[in-house]
């Protein structure tokens, strides 16, 4: 049986197995494509290749991985472009990068701060008095960026994936989302806790528009995408499609007949995310952006340090009670005994992430077409990839 026929048969079996409410059959390993130049020093690329070689499986249909840094480079792709044809995954595909969008938004706000068009210490209400009520008058721009504002989540019409899927073409209005959030009581006094929520970056997107007089998408494109030549990166607006080459995303959910199966969720409006999570990109573009950002070529001078500065340790996470882990736009993890900075993202059918050591000795960009991309908890394949590249999370 040739490789294409085998992939198609396996993909069909996976869909049938999941539709029957099972985890699907055990799938034989495929062979990930990859190039080396040379293999990233200190990374077990054979183990990394083995991690993705079995795709598609019950948890993911495709994976794209790009390693870089001073130790060398490695590129890997595995799985299928779609479960109907079983064609190999496109290694240069575009994908929904979800909350990686926040890094672009934060970079634009910090550029504006560097140009003295806004101040990180100034209350957001002074820029958006018609939108931010007096109850949130103490919230500063910096507190939006590092999620210490106390703003509660916006109201969304749906809780389950099935409800979200039914409304996948709904067009959300950013101002209406902010109004629904600020109609509630603050979760905590500004600056006293940290709670990672999209609403902070929805407000940040509106702030960019107010200060510049331009649409959010146009301003970030002018400031970040165009200077770096990120031609595979775009803001979809209300367009629910991914234009250009892309691997299809699938989501496990309840079907009309009551069984559990996979739906193709590649076509889905991302207006609920907007400046917090709607960007479409490629692994090559995100690697270029990540490298330029850490080198100080996107945010210049002292303002770049905002992206590598966490709130005071006394500002505990609102949900977990742990020490803060979000800076302006980025997150941080202790992996393999080293500090790693980056950002993860999730849209239905797509998990993505960027990460690097501060000195860029090792960088990682990935896109994994997870079948439950917004599930609670960590995706096992994502954690396997990250652990192989950077090392296991530190106990402390």
């Amino acid at each position: 049986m040739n490789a294409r026929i085998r992939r198609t048969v396996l993909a069909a079996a996976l869909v049938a197995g999941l539709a029957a409410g099972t985890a699907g059959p055990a799938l034989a390993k495929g062979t990930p494509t990859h190039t080396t130049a040379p293999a990233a020093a200190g990374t077990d690329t054979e183990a990394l290749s083995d991690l993705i070689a079995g795709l598609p499986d019950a948890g993911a249909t495709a994976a794209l991985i790009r390693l870089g840094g001073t130790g060398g480079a490695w590129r890997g792709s595995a799985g299928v472009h779609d479960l109907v044809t079983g064609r190999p995954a496109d290694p240069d595909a575009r994908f929904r990068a979800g909350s990686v969008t926040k890094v672009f938004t934060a970079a634009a706000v910090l550029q504006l701060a560097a140009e003295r068009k806004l101040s990180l210490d100034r209350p957001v209400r002074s820029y958006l008095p018609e939108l931010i009520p007096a109850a949130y008058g103490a919230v500063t721009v910096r507190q939006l960026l590092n999620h210490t504002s106390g703003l509660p989540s916006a109201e969304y019409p749906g809780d389950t994936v099935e409800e979200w899927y039914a409304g996948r073409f709904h067009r959300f209005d950013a101002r209406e989302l902010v109004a629904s959030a600020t109609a509630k009581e603050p979760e905590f006094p500004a600056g006293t806790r940290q709670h990672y929520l999209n609403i902070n970056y929805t407000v940040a997107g509106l702030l960019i528009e107010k200060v510049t007089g331009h649409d959010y998408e146009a301003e970030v494109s002018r400031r970040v995408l165009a200077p770096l030549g990120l031609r595979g990166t775009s803001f979809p607006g209300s367009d629910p499609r991914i234009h250009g080459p892309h691997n299809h995303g699938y989501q496990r959910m309840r079907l009309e007949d009551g069984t559990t199966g996979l739906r193709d969720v590649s076509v889905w409006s991302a207006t609920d995310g907007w400046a917090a999570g709607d960007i479409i990109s490629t692994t090559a573009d995100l690697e270029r952006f990540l490298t330029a950002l850490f080198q100080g070529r996107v945010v210049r001078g002292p303002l770049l340090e905002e992206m590598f500065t966490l709130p005071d340790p006394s500002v505990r996470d609102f949900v977990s009670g742990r020490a803060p882990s979000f800076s302006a736009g980025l997150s941080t993890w202790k992996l393999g005994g080293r500090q790693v900075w980056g950002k993860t993202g999730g849209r239905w059918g797509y998990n993505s992430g960027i990460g690097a050591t501060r000195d860029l000795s090792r960088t990682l960009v990935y896109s994994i077409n997870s079948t439950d991309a917004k599930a609670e908890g960590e995706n096992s394949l994502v954690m396997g990839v990250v652990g192989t590249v950077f090392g296991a999370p530190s106990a402390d």
Side-chain angles (χ1 to χ4, degrees):
M1 183 182 293
N2 66 44
R4 177 169 180 171
I5 294 174
R6 180 174 60 80
R7 279 191 297 266
T8 303
V9 170
L10 292 175
L14 175 62
V15 174
L18 284 173
T22 70
L27 301 181
K29 283 188 177 182
T31 302
T33 61
H34 63 273
T35 60
T36 58
T43 299
D44 188 345
T45 53
E46 183 176 350
L48 197 57
S49 183
D50 285 345
L51 271 174
I52 63 174
L55 301 181
D57 63 17
T61 58
L64 311 178
I65 300 173
R66 180 176 288 258
L67 303 185
T70 56
W74 185 89
R75 314 286 182 257
S77 67
V80 294
H81 166 269
D82 66 273
L83 291 176
V84 176
T85 68
R87 285 165 31 207
D90 184 343
D92 300 315
R94 297 174 184 180
F95 52 86
R96 300 191 188 279
S99 286
V100 175
T101 308
K102 292 181 177 72
V103 191
F104 289 80
T105 303
V109 172
L110 292 173
Q111 284 185 7
L112 291 167
E115 296 162 11
R116 299 191 177 185
K117 294 179 179 176
L118 58 77
S119 169
L120 298 183
D121 295 314
R122 188 172 171 182
V124 180
R125 190 167 190 260
S126 67
Y127 299 103
L128 296 167
E130 76 289 355
L131 186 66
I132 305 299
Y136 293 93
V139 175
T140 66
V141 175
R142 179 181 284 106
Q143 289 165 347
L144 287 180
L145 297 183
N146 66 17
H147 300 280
T148 61
S149 69
L151 281 163
S153 177
E155 286 296 309
Y156 295 100
D159 296 314
T160 68
V161 62
E162 292 82 10
E163 290 172 329
W164 275 94
Y165 179 78
R168 64 194 180 280
F169 299 127
H170 180 80
R171 295 187 181 185
F172 291 88
D173 179 82
R175 288 180 172 271
E176 291 177 359
L177 290 174
V178 174
S180 73
T182 56
K184 307 174 190 177
E185 294 293 320
E187 290 191 323
F188 47 81
T192 64
R193 293 287 184 271
Q194 185 173 75
H195 191 186
Y196 177 84
L197 289 172
N198 280 354
I199 191 64
N200 292 294
Y201 277 73
T202 302
V203 177
L206 293 169
L207 177 63
I208 290 171
E209 293 191 335
K210 183 63 176 284
V211 170
T212 66
H214 301 141
D215 288 345
Y216 162 80
E217 297 86 351
E219 192 65 21
V220 178
S221 295
R222 182 181 73 82
R223 289 176 170 275
V224 183
L225 306 194
L228 295 180
L230 306 183
R231 296 180 179 85
T233 302
S234 62
F235 297 96
S238 60
D239 190 338
R241 298 185 178 275
I242 303 174
H243 293 277
H246 62 280
N247 300 317
H248 289 224
Y250 295 86
Q251 171 65 36
R252 186 170 60 251
M253 67 178 77
R254 188 179 64 257
L255 306 179
E256 285 81 357
D257 62 3
T259 62
T260 298
L262 293 181
R263 288 190 185 277
D264 188 327
V265 293
S266 310
V267 180
W268 193 314
S269 173
T271 54
D272 61 291
W274 191 51
D278 74 347
I279 208 166
I280 291 169
S281 194
T282 67
T283 58
D285 272 12
L286 290 182
E287 182 182 64
R288 182 180 297 182
F289 171 63
L290 176 67
T291 302
L293 181 70
F294 280 41
Q295 289 175 340
R297 294 189 286 117
V298 179
V299 180
R300 303 178 187 276
L303 270 299
L304 177 60
E305 290 307 309
E306 293 287 337
M307 304 192 87
F308 299 98
T309 302
L310 297 174
D312 187 273
S314 64
V315 179
R316 312 301 287 186
D317 185 271
F318 182 66
V319 177
S320 69
R322 296 174 182 167
S325 58
F326 297 99
S327 62
L330 297 177
S331 312
T332 189
W333 310 267
K334 194 74 172 292
L335 301 171
R338 296 172 297 182
Q339 204 73 26
V340 176
W341 295 86
K343 190 71 189 73
T344 61
R347 295 292 304 180
W348 304 115
Y350 299 89
N351 277 128
S352 62
I354 61 176
T357 52
R358 179 72 192 271
D359 62 1
L360 291 173
S361 59
R362 186 162 302 174
T363 68
L364 167 67
V365 177
Y366 65 81
S367 169
I368 293 175
N369 293 51
S370 303
T371 59
D372 200 3
K374 294 177 77 67
E376 294 293 330
E378 302 290 351
N379 178 282
S380 60
L381 181 55
V382 170
M383 294 305 293
V385 169
V386 171
T388 301
V389 173
F390 291 113
S394 300
D396 56 2

